[in-house]
Amino acid sequence: GSPANARRRWIAGRLKPAGRLQVDAGAVDALRGGASLLPAGVRGVSGEFDRGDAVEIIGPDRKVVAIGLAAYSAADVRAIAGKRSEDVANILGYARRPAVVEKSDLALKAE
């Protein structure tokens, strides 16, 4: 397979999630459509994780939608959850990326 598919298999099958991100239905639809997870779709954060750690992404039905690599720490995600990507720099004092989890760092679970 492609390097991108191998990376997704690695994320999904080899990494132990350090935390969880609860997301809204719109975020679930966007992820299943191939988008990154933006701060606006995050409704809650569980656990303590750092940038680059694996996190589970949980939908409103409390089922795991995906596993991905966090672009921000748990504390930073808590600060920007529910906010617009354009506001991240003002809230945190820096902006790394507009997404909490980039689509290239995400492995979707089967529905």
Side-chain angles (χ1 to χ4, degrees):
S2 72
N5 286 338
R7 180 175 174 79
R8 286 187 182 101
R9 282 192 308 274
W10 171 70
I11 290 169
R14 300 281 184 210
L15 300 180
K16 181 179 181 196
R20 289 181 150 195
L21 302 175
Q22 292 82 36
V23 301
D24 61 25
V28 171
D29 290 343
L31 293 173
R32 289 192 174 136
S36 297
L37 176 60
L38 300 178
V42 178
R43 295 293 173 249
V45 180
S46 303
E48 294 301 323
F49 53 88
D50 291 316
R51 178 178 180 253
D53 285 345
V55 292
E56 289 181 318
I57 300 170
I58 310 298
D61 60 1
R62 301 195 176 175
K63 293 182 182 176
V64 177
V65 175
I67 296 176
L69 303 179
Y72 294 93
S73 69
D76 287 350
V77 177
R78 285 184 184 97
I80 62 175
K83 306 292 194 275
R84 297 176 345 153
S85 296
E86 302 86 52
D87 298 333
V88 169
N90 290 332
I91 295 167
L92 297 179
Y94 73 96
R96 188 171 278 119
R97 303 174 173 173
V100 173
V101 178
E102 294 285 341
K103 62 184 173 185
S104 60
D105 293 334
L106 186 74
L108 290 173
K109 294 286 190 173
E111 290 185 55

